[in-house]
Amino acid sequence: MLEMPDDLILHVTGLKKYYPITTGFLQKVSGYVRAVDDVNLSVPQGQSLGLVGESGCGKTTTARSILRAIDPTEGEIYFRLSDGKIVDMSKLNAKQLKEVRSDIQMVFQDPFSSLNPRLPVLDIIAEPLKVQGWKRNKYENRVSELLQVVGLNSSYMRRYPHAFSGGQRQRIGIARALAVNPALVVADEPVSALDVSVQAQILNLIKELQEEMGLTYLFIAHDLSVVRYICDTVAVMYLGKIVELADTEDLFINPLHPYTSALLAAVPDADPHQPWLGQTLSGEIPDASTKIDGCPFAPRCEYALDICRKQAPLLNPMGDNEHTVACHRASELELKGVV
Ligand code: SF4
């Protein structure tokens, strides 16, 4: 029987997703793109974990591997279903995956392409309910209720997606994700495609729903300011690895990894009188197919020493709270956070 601490919904260990690089007529494997490289993370019931990093850092591949939208190369993905049973998502076959799918629902990045334009809202939101065998009279009531929960008029269920704004479409996507009372909601950059003016409304909704319904989120974002509002814990990813993981406020006030500090510096300050942190990221993330002996952030890090280029830092705890960081110089650097 599989076991994990009682308070956890999700417990991922040693997750890897490598894509083979093939060359020549015989398609010989000449190397691997290490899109996700030994990721460990846990999400407690009713809490939110933010996965943050630049585009290409592996955060979406991590989420897709957890969901089994793609097959991981290695690792365990322990997931507690809503009936309390624990499964290892990495070991499930297609039939078993179909049975557990309703317990992990996803809110997609693009509310324009994620809703079928040929279906009315009723059928879009009822899709997971129909899979569970709900009859029309029952699912119509449920859709009406869900529309109200996400702040839309229930009379909208007969309309088609084109009749809605981006923010309204994302509310419909959230209603669809909540239809079957999932144990975990994976939100993949749920506000990044929206106008800035409606982003805050959708974030408010996501936060309110969590408080009212006790939802558990795995929240993916490239923008640290978004996760600060939503998440209890944040994992910062760089080149397929978690480089820092901490309680959200601790991470913002006291970042220990130069990459986190640089991401924080890129977040505009709400107060124009506060000094700019003065540190911004330059250069691109190195190619994930290149074998790197030392710290993967070294080519972009202003604090890099010789050891950084020779030896990869491990993710280790720092201090007396649950703050972990992969940096040789974490104990000596005084990095700037935000208040
Ligand atoms: Fe920078 Fe070295 Fe720390 Fe890597 S290990 S983040 S190169 S100081």
Side-chain angles (χ1 to χ4, degrees):
M1 198 175 77
L2 301 177
E3 288 187 13
M4 66 175 169
D6 286 348
D7 61 327
L8 298 185
I9 283 278
L10 182 70
H11 185 53
V12 175
T13 57
L15 184 68
K16 294 180 183 173
K17 179 61 187 174
Y18 290 0
Y19 293 98
I21 304 164
T22 54
T23 46
F25 180 69
L26 295 173
Q27 296 287 289
K28 198 169 166 234
V29 176
S30 59
Y32 291 91
V33 174
R34 294 167 175 80
V36 177
D37 199 5
D38 201 13
V39 161
N40 302 293
L41 52 85
S42 299
V43 190
Q45 161 93 47
Q47 293 203 10
S48 304
L49 170 74
L51 262 186
V52 182
E54 294 164 286
S55 156
C57 71
K59 55 191 188 298
T60 297
T61 309
T62 300
R64 285 171 59 79
S65 302
I66 290 169
L67 284 160
R68 283 290 305 277
I70 53 175
D71 288 335
T73 308
E74 251 182 70
E76 278 85 45
I77 306 163
Y78 287 5
F79 175 57
R80 191 186 304 278
L81 303 174
S82 44
D83 64 5
K85 191 176 155 205
I86 299 167
V87 295
D88 181 351
M89 293 290 288
S90 70
K91 307 282 188 303
L92 301 186
N93 61 32
K95 183 169 171 285
Q96 292 166 323
L97 271 177
K98 203 172 164 197
E99 285 164 14
V100 305
R101 195 69 86 189
S102 62
D103 262 327
I104 304 187
Q105 292 290 309
M106 187 140 184
V107 177
F108 296 93
Q109 177 177 11
D110 185 354
F112 293 89
S113 62
S114 62
L115 306 181
N116 186 336
R118 288 186 290 278
L119 292 180
V121 167
L122 171 64
D123 290 317
I124 290 172
I125 297 178
E127 197 185 320
L129 298 168
K130 290 186 202 170
V131 171
Q132 289 194 346
W134 287 45
K135 297 283 175 270
R136 188 178 177 104
N137 59 342
K138 206 172 149 211
Y139 71 65
E140 225 175 275
N141 289 338
R142 175 73 176 143
V143 170
S144 166
E145 184 186 295
L146 285 161
L147 281 170
Q148 290 171 46
V149 163
V150 298
L152 293 174
N153 194 311
S154 52
S155 65
Y156 291 174
M157 71 170 80
R158 313 272 168 220
R159 298 186 186 176
Y160 288 78
H162 67 80
F164 296 95
S165 67
Q168 288 174 319
R169 287 181 198 213
Q170 198 55 299
R171 287 174 191 268
I172 293 166
I174 292 169
R176 176 177 57 186
L178 300 184
V180 285
N181 294 320
L184 176 70
V185 176
V186 177
D188 186 5
E189 303 253 17
V191 298
S192 62
L194 302 176
D195 288 347
V196 174
S197 57
V198 294
Q199 284 186 359
Q201 294 169 18
I202 298 298
L203 289 175
N204 275 332
L205 175 67
I206 289 171
K207 181 91 177 151
E208 282 165 17
L209 290 173
Q210 182 181 37
E211 284 163 6
E212 284 164 21
M213 302 167 78
L215 298 172
T216 307
Y217 292 123
L218 176 60
F219 196 98
I220 296 156
H222 65 273
D223 182 347
L224 268 169
S225 61
V226 168
V227 295
R228 185 176 199 179
Y229 184 66
I230 298 285
C231 297
D232 302 281
T233 312
V234 177
V236 178
M237 283 193 76
Y238 190 78
L239 212 65
K241 290 180 181 292
I242 291 177
V243 295
E244 186 163 10
L245 194 152
D247 164 84
T248 305
E249 280 313 294
D250 193 22
L251 184 105
F252 272 75
I253 294 166
N254 179 32
L256 297 176
H257 197 285
Y259 179 58
T260 309
S261 180
L263 286 180
L264 286 171
V267 175
D269 201 304
D271 181 355
H273 303 296
Q274 290 293 320
W276 187 249
L277 290 177
Q279 181 194 21
T280 50
L281 273 171
S282 59
E284 299 291 318
I285 298 183
D287 186 344
S289 64
T290 314
K291 187 162 176 350
I292 300 168
D293 290 327
C295 171
F297 190 57
R300 301 168 82 188
C301 181
E302 63 180 291
Y303 306 104
L305 300 176
D306 274 354
I307 186 176
C308 304
R309 297 183 192 91
K310 289 177 188 152
Q311 191 180 317
L314 300 175
L315 194 63
N316 280 322
M318 285 279 297
D320 54 6
N321 51 20
E322 292 177 6
H323 197 145
T324 55
V325 61
C327 172
H328 292 304
R329 304 191 65 193
S331 60
E332 57 174 298
L333 296 177
E334 289 186 9
L335 300 172
K336 286 184 179 168
V338 293
V339 176

